[in-house]
Amino acid sequence: MKECLRLITDRRSITFFDPTRDIPNELIKEILEVSATAPSGYNIQPWEVIVVKDKEKKRKLKDICYGQQKVEDASANIVLVANTRAGEEHVDRILDSWIELGYIKPEARESLKSQIVAGWQDPQRAFRKAVRDTALFGMTIMITARAYGLETHPMEGYDEQKLKEFLGIEEHKVVPMVIAIGYKDQNRELLPRAYRFKFEEFGRIL
Ligand SMILES: Cc1cc2nc3c(=O)[nH]c(=O)nc-3n(C[C@H](O)[C@H](O)[C@H](O)COP(=O)(O)O)c2cc1C
């Protein structure tokens, strides 16, 4: 229990990665598949990832991330992509699995499909759904990475248009964050964790 809590409470945004360490592709895939157990509205899973590991590509990504050195030093960078058309694109796969597992009867399929797809029609709502679910996936990646002895750093500091051009991301997709992942440089120390608001400052119980 205490160990599980420490995965959360000891997580930091790691500024100093060991640039000599690699993460095998298989390990990255495992972390991402474990993280894909994250919840999403109607289980639509509107996320995609592009993992940037190649040295030259990391250098280019660093420029797009306004020169943030951690992008180059991290073993990899996970570019999270939220697909605002995931409602229509994923719904059939999800409904097939629900029917197969007995969640719903086959005759309920079409009305449920219309209901799900309708929720993604309004562009603002679709944007919110895609980004919300993808952010939950992102947080899960950061905690899962720690369970595998790795550290992360989430970033919003990048030129999104340039990033989309660089990685060939279509216009209807959004990049809510990039997560640098790797091993902390053991010779560098982070400053202590910065102030967190107390419950009384951000919450109320009714
Ligand atoms: C969505 C998101 C975007 C962030 N973008 C950046 C960034 O571009 N550059 C950076 O140095 N830190 C970035 N951070 C890290 C925050 O500054 C950091 O999480 C916060 O200061 C708390 O520090 P801690 O994560 O070590 O507790 C980002 C965090 C989040 C969640």
Side-chain angles (χ1 to χ4, degrees), residues 11-13 68 70 153-157 176-177 193 196:
R11 182 212 55 79
R12 294 294 311 278
S13 294
Q68 299 196 57
K70 50 194 167 269
H153 194 128
M155 284 169 281
E156 61 185 345
M177 75 187 89
R193 185 194 284 290
R196 289 303 203 265

Side-chain angles (χ1 to χ4, degrees), residues 43 93-106:
N43 196 30
R93 288 278 307 280
I94 297 310
L95 290 174
D96 285 348
S97 109
W98 280 359
I99 290 169
E100 202 181 302
L101 295 169
Y103 283 34
I104 58 165
K105 295 205 165 65

Side-chain angles (χ1 to χ4, degrees), residues 23 30 37-38 54 82 113 120 128 136 147 167 179 187 190 193 199 202 204:
I23 311 176
E30 189 170 325
T37 56
D54 174 79
K113 181 172 174 175
W120 287 78
R128 205 163 56 221
L136 289 173
L167 298 175
I179 301 177
N187 301 316
L190 296 178
R193 185 194 284 290
F199 173 77
F202 66 76
R204 58 198 167 120

Side-chain angles (χ1 to χ4, degrees), residues 23-179:
I23 311 176
N25 289 358
E26 284 313 311
L27 179 54
I28 293 182
K29 287 184 201 170
E30 189 170 325
I31 289 170
L32 291 172
E33 285 190 355
V34 169
S35 305
T37 56
S40 57
Y42 282 114
N43 196 30
I44 285 292
Q45 305 163 62
W47 50 74
E48 295 171 16
V49 296
I50 300 170
V51 181
V52 181
K53 266 188 85 179
D54 174 79
K55 264 194 171 29
E56 265 315 304
K57 290 197 170 68
K58 280 197 297 185
R59 225 167 270 151
K60 170 89 178 136
L61 183 62
K62 178 182 85 171
D63 292 343
I64 293 171
C65 294
Y66 308 122
Q68 299 196 57
Q69 186 58 36
K70 50 194 167 269
V71 173
E72 192 177 344
D73 293 344
S75 310
N77 294 273
I78 302 167
V79 178
L80 288 193
V81 180
N83 181 3
T84 61
R85 293 188 189 153
E88 304 92 275
E89 291 178 9
H90 294 185
V91 69
D92 284 316
R93 288 278 307 280
I94 297 310
L95 290 174
D96 285 348
S97 109
W98 280 359
I99 290 169
E100 202 181 302
L101 295 169
Y103 283 34
I104 58 165
K105 295 205 165 65
E107 50 272 28
R109 184 194 180 99
E110 285 316 305
S111 74
L112 189 52
K113 181 172 174 175
S114 321
Q115 192 182 316
I116 294 172
V117 170
W120 287 78
Q121 286 314 301
D122 173 60
Q124 253 190 340
R125 258 187 100 185
F127 177 91
R128 205 163 56 221
K129 279 168 166 294
V131 169
R132 180 171 51 210
D133 289 344
T134 303
L136 289 173
F137 177 52
M139 186 68 242
T140 311
I141 293 170
M142 291 187 263
I143 295 169
T144 305
R146 300 203 68 239
Y148 283 86
L150 289 155
E151 297 292 348
T152 59
H153 194 128
M155 284 169 281
E156 61 185 345
Y158 45 82
D159 182 323
E160 186 168 354
Q161 204 45 48
K162 282 194 186 147
L163 181 54
K164 285 167 99 170
E165 278 161 30
F166 173 50
L167 298 175
I169 298 168
E170 298 142 285
E171 263 319 298
H172 66 277
K173 295 179 179 173
V174 184
V175 180
M177 75 187 89
V178 174
I179 301 177

